[in-house]
């Protein structure tokens, strides 16, 4: 069996050396890089060939790639690298890697064209000045062949191991049996839909009720389909830590039915959770785990993929194990995990690792031409998360801190550029003094000032790479992100200005507004990422109506929709509407007494553990205070603002099989989804809200945009997102086929036909 590797990936594996060095130095954007390559090609002669596809083999290894250019007249192959700043400050390790790549291309071209020798050139193009710096070597074909074979020899043992691993993995997956003996009700139809979507190479949107085992019901069929569909990687993408953990737990059960399954499962976590030295910078002169990182990486990588879990042949690459291996080899755990993403079979991580504009997993998949499969857990969250990824904001405090930074005080060009941004910002606010304003386009003068400022800051950071300035870099990155989103601005986003006086009780002051490019429809950004995968399944208990999610998430026109029948019977969940209560904002004060009375009545009729959900912390506190006064005999506890993970565990720890009480929580918060309290740990829920987003100028503008795009402004902005949160929260009550409980919907609007139509069909609402 042949193992195929890209030239860039081969050389990054074999030729990287020295320290991990992530000191910030401005680099060209992808668009600047493409434009720079085009400039370099345009300067060559008429017979110049750009983007030359090449491939070659060594034993069982096939190497392929695309050389930047070849000049037949000079018999010279070019490796073009764009850069910003001073080339004389380029680390020697970078130049070493670039030469390794260029010479591999040189051999592949010699072999293809039957050349005895060739010129190999590194072409460095400064995207700011458009000036080129050329380094050339005249190389014989024999020397280039030896270089090529040396790189291949360093890689081939790993490649052969990968081939053997893949063959063993696929053989074991073909024989894999469902680890629980039998499917739960509803789990089999879900699994069949996932499998068929993988075979057909399509996108599946699956609504499946809470409690049927969606995680295993999606992972198992996708892994079964992997061998025949030649799937290289499965990416399980979750919105929250709880979703990642459920996936890891499910994957850990697979060895029960396939002890010899060599499935490499990697967990990716956020940098701040994996960093061993948060007080140090990411380079060898500061952090000991960055020093010599690439020199020690091969041994650490080999140890990581060879590790076993519980004595079984199942590589365990969860956070704790990766950290253990990394520290044994004195390298950074976070960046070891990123390197291991190349060699894992299943990667479990947050949405942003694939869907963000700079998503690691998507970038690796494109570079290596992997055939990937996506599982998007709790996909209803991807709407809001997608909006946040593609929204850019400028806050006045960030600019103020940058202007008062030591760098601005010491370097006049920096101070001048920041002051120009401030003047443009003040002028914008004076022209739009209203508390909230939506603009038709991003203001030209502010954009020009930002562009000039980022150019100045780029030059400064390039000239002073050893002078870090956190405040200045923060503003710089915010400004760059905003400029990028301004370049991509279309009907999917809107530009708005919110004056500080609109959110704080103070006098309007020009220059203190928040300037925002606000994404409303993430579909145009998510659609290419979904299309890049061989198959994708987006699943959740609340994806109703399907059209709403298809529109906002950018699902392909031929996507498949499945609504899995619930395994639960109506008699298991008593759903009651409190028609005598209104939780509309003007009625909040009047609603507190009847809400407290209803909760106490239910608790006394059936003592046990309950969750009570409210639309805001203020509403929650008012209700809890009154409830404690009127019913002091009933135990209760409350969610607080910005709870730490330990406090969240303590909150959930009070739900036991023998405890009793009512927990007050915020709808849409940490306890409204993704938690599992089966049996007597939770027997009921109260929902004192429809979950509708707040009526404010921003949401009203979103409603207008949704009306223009989809013809359903109110539903897309308020009703569907609100009811999705309600159904998720109520879904905490019934978790297993033996659970029974009660849900009180405490608002008269739950009796409306339009609202009832969005509730689960198996509910019998009284």
């Amino acid at each position: 069996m042949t193992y195929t590797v890209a030239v860039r990936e081969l050389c990054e594996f074999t030729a990287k050396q020295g320290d991990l060095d992530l000191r910030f130095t401005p680099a060209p954007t992808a668009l600047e890089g493409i434009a720079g390559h085009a400039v370099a090609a345009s300067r060559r002669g008429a017979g110049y060939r750009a983007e030359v596809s090449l491939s070659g083999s060594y034993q069982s290894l096939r190497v392929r790639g695309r050389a930047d250019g070849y000049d037949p007249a000079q018999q010279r192959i070019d490796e073009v690298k764009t850069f910003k700043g001073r080339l004389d400050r380029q680390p020697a390790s970078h130049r070493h890697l670039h030469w390794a790549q260029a010479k591999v291309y040189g051999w592949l071209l010699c072999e293809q064209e039957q050349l005895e020798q060739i010129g190999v050139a590194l072409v460095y193009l400064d995207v700011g000045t458009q000036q080129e710096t050329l380094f050339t070597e005249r190389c014989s074909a024999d020397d280039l062949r030896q270089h090529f074979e040396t790189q291949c020899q360093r890689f081939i043992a790993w490649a052969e191991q990968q081939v053997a691993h893949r063959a063993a993995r696929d053989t074991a997956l073909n024989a894999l049996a469902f680890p629980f003996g039998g499917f739960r009700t509803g789990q089999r139809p879900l699994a069949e839909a996932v499998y068929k979507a993988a075979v057909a190479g399509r996108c599946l949107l699956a609504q499946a009720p809470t409690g049927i085992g969606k995680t295993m019901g999606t992972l198992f069929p996708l892994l079964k389909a992997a061998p025949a569909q030649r799937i290289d990687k499965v990416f399980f993408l979750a919105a929250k830590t709880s979703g990642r953990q459920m996936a890891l737990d499910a994957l850990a059960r697979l060895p029960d039915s396939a002890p010899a399954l060599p499935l490499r499962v990697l967990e990716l976590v956020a940098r701040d959770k994996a960093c061993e030295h948060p007080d140090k910078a990411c380079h060898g002169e500061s952090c000991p785990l960055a020093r010599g990182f690439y020199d020690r990486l091969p041994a650490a990588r080999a140890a990581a993929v060879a590790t076993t879990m519980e004595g079984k042949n199942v590589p365990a690459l969860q956070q704790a194990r990766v950290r253990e291996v990394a520290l044994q080899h004195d390298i950074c755990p976070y960046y070891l995990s990123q390197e291991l993403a190349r060699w894992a079979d299943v990667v479990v991580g947050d949405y942003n690792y694939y869907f963000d504009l700079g998503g690691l997993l998507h970038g690796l998949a494109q570079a290596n031409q992997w055939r990937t499969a996506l599982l998007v857990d709790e996909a209803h969250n991807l709407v809001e998360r997608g909006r946040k990824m593609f929204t850019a904001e400028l806050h006045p405090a960030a600019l103020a801190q940058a202007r008062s930074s030591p760098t601005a005080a010491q370097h006049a060009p920096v101070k001048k550029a920041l002051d120009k941004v401030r003047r443009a910002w003040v002028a914008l606010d004076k022209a739009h003094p209203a508390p909230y304003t939506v603009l038709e386009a991003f203001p030209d003068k502010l954009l020009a000032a930002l562009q000039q400022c980022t150019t100045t800051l780029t030059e400064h950071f390039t000239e002073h790479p050893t002078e870090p300035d956190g405040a200045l870099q923060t503003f710089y990155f915010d400004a760059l992100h905003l400029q990028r989103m301004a370049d991509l601005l279309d009907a999917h986003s809107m530009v708005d200005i919110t004056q500080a006086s609109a959110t704080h009780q103070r006098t309007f002051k020009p220059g203190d507004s928040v300037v925002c490019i606000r994404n409303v429809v993430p579909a145009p950004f998510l659609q290419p990422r979904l299309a890049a995968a061989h198959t994708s399944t987006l699943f959740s208990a609340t994806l109703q109506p399907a059209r709403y999610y298809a529109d906002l998430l950018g699902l392909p026109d031929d996507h498949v929709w499945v609504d899995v029948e619930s395994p639960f019977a109506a008699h298991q969940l008593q759903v009651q509407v409190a028609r005598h209560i209104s939780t509309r904002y003007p009625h909040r004060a009047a609603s507190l007494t009847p809400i407290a009375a209803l909760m106490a009545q239910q608790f006394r009729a059936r003592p046990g553990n309950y969750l009570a959900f409210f639309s805001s912390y203020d509403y929650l506190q008012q209700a809890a205070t009154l409830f404690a006064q009127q019913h002091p005999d009933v135990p209760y506890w409350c969610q607080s603002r910005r709870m730490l993970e330990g406090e969240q565990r303590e909150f959930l720890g009070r739900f036991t099989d023998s405890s009793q009480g009512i927990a007050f929580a915020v709808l849409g918060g940490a306890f409204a989804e993704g938690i599992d309290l089966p049996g007597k740990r939770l027997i009921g829920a109260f929902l004192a809200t429809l979950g509708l987003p707040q009526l404010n100028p921003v949401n009203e503008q979103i409603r207008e945009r949704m009306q223009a795009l989809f013809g359903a402004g109110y539903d897309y902005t308020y009703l569907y997102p609100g009811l999705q949160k309600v159904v998720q929260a109520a879904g905490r009550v019934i978790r297993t086929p033996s659970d029974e409980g009660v849900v009180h919907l405490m608002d008269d609007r739950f009796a409306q036909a339009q609202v009832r139509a969005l509730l689960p069909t198996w509910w019998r609402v009284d």
Side-chain angles (χ1 to χ4, degrees):
M1 182 176 177
T2 300
Y3 187 92
T4 301
V5 64
V7 171
R8 179 176 175 178
E9 295 301 308
L10 170 69
C11 293
E12 288 196 346
F13 186 94
T14 61
K16 273 193 172 182
Q17 59 186 23
D19 295 350
L20 177 72
D21 192 343
L22 296 175
R23 278 176 285 201
F24 172 68
T25 52
T29 65
L31 290 176
E32 286 174 329
I34 293 170
H37 280 69
V39 168
S42 70
R43 293 172 175 173
R44 272 50 181 175
Y48 190 78
R49 292 157 54 190
E51 300 290 316
V52 183
S53 293
L54 298 168
S55 66
S57 297
Y58 177 80
Q59 297 181 15
S60 60
L61 188 64
R62 179 171 177 262
V63 181
R64 66 186 179 191
R66 186 176 287 117
D68 292 324
Y70 173 56
D71 188 337
Q74 298 188 52
Q75 284 194 345
R76 192 187 78 198
I77 191 166
D78 292 343
E79 176 72 4
V80 180
K81 300 294 183 184
T82 56
F83 73 98
K84 292 182 176 180
R86 288 175 53 179
L87 193 59
D88 60 356
R89 287 183 171 160
Q90 182 186 60
S93 59
H94 291 193
R95 186 76 52 84
H96 176 77
L97 176 61
H98 298 164
W99 273 122
Q101 293 173 345
K103 289 181 178 181
V104 168
Y105 283 123
W107 162 247
L108 295 177
L109 189 69
C110 282
E111 185 180 39
Q112 178 175 295
E113 302 289 328
Q114 295 295 298
L115 302 175
E116 293 184 359
Q117 62 176 351
I118 193 174
V120 179
L122 291 181
V123 181
Y124 289 102
L125 186 137
D126 187 326
V127 296
T129 65
Q130 301 289 290
Q131 291 183 344
E132 292 183 21
T133 303
L134 197 67
F135 298 95
T136 61
E137 284 188 23
R138 200 74 190 170
C139 302
S140 70
D142 189 58
D143 287 343
L144 292 174
R145 178 184 57 78
Q146 290 183 35
H147 169 80
F148 172 74
E149 291 181 354
T150 298
Q151 307 308 310
C152 290
Q153 287 163 3
R154 292 175 182 170
F155 186 78
I156 201 162
W158 189 268
E160 289 172 348
Q161 179 203 71
Q162 288 299 108
V163 170
H165 165 77
R166 177 65 173 265
R169 184 203 80 170
D170 287 353
T171 298
L173 287 177
N174 281 325
L176 181 66
F178 193 67
F180 298 110
F183 289 92
R184 296 182 189 177
T185 303
Q187 199 175 34
R188 180 181 289 278
L190 173 62
E192 290 176 349
V194 173
Y195 185 87
K196 290 177 180 177
V199 171
R202 297 176 73 178
C203 175
L204 170 68
L205 185 65
Q207 179 170 267
T210 295
I212 70 166
K214 294 191 292 295
T215 304
M216 185 64 83
T218 54
L219 275 167
F220 175 77
L222 200 51
L223 291 171
K224 288 294 291 182
Q229 299 308 309
R230 308 186 313 283
I231 291 172
D232 298 304
K233 311 283 181 184
V234 173
F235 297 151
F236 188 100
L237 307 169
K240 298 180 180 179
T241 302
S242 57
R244 292 205 314 268
Q245 191 57 53
M246 284 193 288
L248 295 170
D249 292 344
L251 290 161
R253 294 295 302 270
L254 294 179
D256 294 344
S257 57
L261 174 62
L263 194 70
R264 294 176 183 160
V265 178
L266 172 67
E267 178 188 15
L268 290 178
V269 299
R271 180 172 167 176
D272 59 351
K273 292 185 178 181
C275 182
E276 292 292 314
H277 299 290
D279 59 322
K280 294 179 172 62
C282 292
H283 59 82
E285 295 175 15
S286 175
C287 180
L289 300 183
R291 192 176 307 125
F293 176 90
Y294 290 107
D295 300 329
R296 294 192 292 274
L297 173 62
R301 180 172 51 212
V305 300
T307 191
T308 59
M309 177 174 61
E310 298 177 0
K312 301 170 184 175
N313 188 25
V314 183
L317 301 174
Q318 284 86 333
Q319 180 184 1
R321 180 55 184 158
V322 171
R323 177 178 183 271
E324 181 183 351
V325 171
L327 296 184
Q328 285 173 354
H329 293 80
D330 293 322
I331 67 172
C332 173
Y334 177 70
Y335 287 101
L336 173 60
S337 70
Q338 299 219 337
E339 290 289 336
L340 291 173
R342 304 168 189 269
W343 314 109
D345 300 304
V346 181
V347 183
V348 179
D350 189 87
Y351 290 164
N352 68 287
Y353 278 110
Y354 187 81
F355 291 112
D356 190 82
L357 288 174
L360 169 75
L361 295 178
H362 178 260
L364 286 174
Q366 294 299 102
N368 293 281
Q369 299 181 33
W370 289 335
R371 197 170 170 91
T372 59
L374 307 181
L375 290 175
V376 183
D377 179 43
E378 301 292 2
H380 61 275
N381 286 304
L382 189 54
V383 173
E384 196 56 37
R385 284 289 301 276
R387 285 171 169 168
K388 289 180 180 178
M389 287 180 201
F390 311 120
T391 290
E393 290 184 328
L394 277 183
H395 290 265
L399 176 59
Q401 290 167 8
R403 293 175 70 220
S404 61
S405 68
T407 301
Q410 296 167 13
H411 297 274
V414 171
K415 180 70 162 60
K416 182 178 178 181
L418 292 169
D419 287 347
K420 186 173 182 179
V421 172
R422 174 66 181 173
R423 289 194 297 273
W425 202 330
V426 168
L428 177 67
D429 283 357
K430 287 181 176 179
H432 303 283
Y436 180 75
T437 305
V438 176
L439 305 178
E440 292 186 4
F442 197 85
D444 292 338
K445 291 184 179 179
L446 179 58
L447 183 59
L450 286 168
Q451 289 170 337
Q452 182 178 335
C453 184
T454 54
T455 298
T456 300
L457 293 181
T458 296
E459 293 170 354
H460 171 80
F461 290 134
T462 301
E463 292 295 320
H464 304 84
T466 60
E467 296 180 16
D469 188 320
L472 202 61
Q473 287 185 10
T474 296
F475 177 75
Y476 177 73
F477 292 140
D478 288 347
L480 285 178
H481 183 49
L482 189 138
Q483 286 174 226
R484 185 172 188 182
M485 299 317 301
D487 290 340
L488 300 171
L489 189 61
D490 208 333
H492 51 66
S493 301
M494 62 188 191
V495 181
D496 60 29
I497 308 169
T498 304
Q499 299 296 345
S501 57
T503 54
H504 302 87
Q505 299 300 316
R506 67 186 203 184
T507 305
F508 165 69
K509 184 179 178 182
D512 278 4
S513 65
V514 175
V515 181
C516 181
I517 296 178
R518 190 181 307 277
N519 179 252
V520 176
V521 182
F525 300 104
L526 300 177
Q527 189 174 43
R529 301 300 170 96
L530 293 171
H534 168 67
T535 181
S536 54
T537 293
L538 298 86
F539 61 98
S540 171
T542 50
L543 291 173
Q544 193 76 17
R547 185 74 256 159
Y548 167 78
Y549 291 97
D551 285 341
L552 295 190
L553 298 180
L555 305 192
D557 292 338
D558 66 345
H559 77 274
V560 181
W561 159 255
V562 61
D563 188 2
V564 178
E565 184 179 354
S566 174
F568 307 125
H571 67 81
Q572 290 181 254
L573 186 66
Q574 185 181 2
V575 184
Q576 297 186 352
V577 176
R579 293 172 173 81
H580 64 293
I581 295 175
S582 167
T583 62
R584 298 169 180 85
Y585 189 77
H587 306 154
R588 292 279 169 85
S591 72
L592 295 174
T593 297
I595 285 174
L598 178 58
M599 291 168 60
Q601 179 184 359
Q602 173 62 43
F603 182 85
R604 293 192 173 96
R606 187 186 175 192
N609 291 319
Y610 294 84
L611 269 166
F613 293 100
F614 295 83
S615 56
S616 68
Y617 283 103
D618 289 341
Y619 196 16
L620 178 157
Q621 287 296 334
Q622 293 170 18
T625 300
L626 182 66
F627 185 84
Q629 292 172 352
Q630 296 186 346
H631 308 284
D633 57 313
V634 180
Y636 80 99
W637 60 102
C638 296
Q639 178 182 359
S640 60
R641 297 179 191 269
R642 292 178 289 278
M643 269 183 151
L644 300 176
E645 287 189 11
E647 294 171 321
Q648 292 180 15
R649 287 194 295 270
E650 184 179 348
F651 182 95
L652 292 174
R654 297 189 62 169
F655 293 87
T656 69
D657 288 337
S658 58
S659 64
Q660 296 181 357
I662 300 177
F664 289 70
V666 174
L667 190 70
F671 308 112
E673 62 177 88
I675 62 168
D676 201 22
L677 301 170
K680 293 182 180 180
R681 293 182 65 191
L682 184 68
I683 64 169
F686 306 96
L687 288 117
T689 173
L690 257 70
L692 305 183
Q694 186 182 25
L695 186 68
N696 59 37
V698 173
N699 284 334
E700 281 297 280
Q701 285 296 323
I702 293 175
R703 180 185 60 78
E704 289 185 17
R705 184 65 57 90
M706 292 295 190
Q707 184 65 35
L709 292 172
F710 306 114
Y714 175 80
D715 292 347
Y716 273 43
T717 307
Y718 295 104
L719 187 60
Y720 298 158
L723 268 295
Q724 170 261 309
K725 292 179 183 178
V726 167
V727 175
Q728 275 288 330
R732 302 310 97 202
V733 178
I734 303 297
R735 308 298 295 175
T736 72
S738 61
D739 284 354
E740 293 185 355
V742 60
V743 168
H744 287 276
L745 304 175
M746 299 189 294
D747 191 287
D748 61 280
R749 288 169 290 180
F750 281 110
Q752 297 173 2
Q754 184 184 16
V755 173
R756 294 275 288 270
L758 296 172
L759 302 178
T761 55
W762 68 275
W763 285 11
R764 187 175 63 232
V765 184
D766 297 327

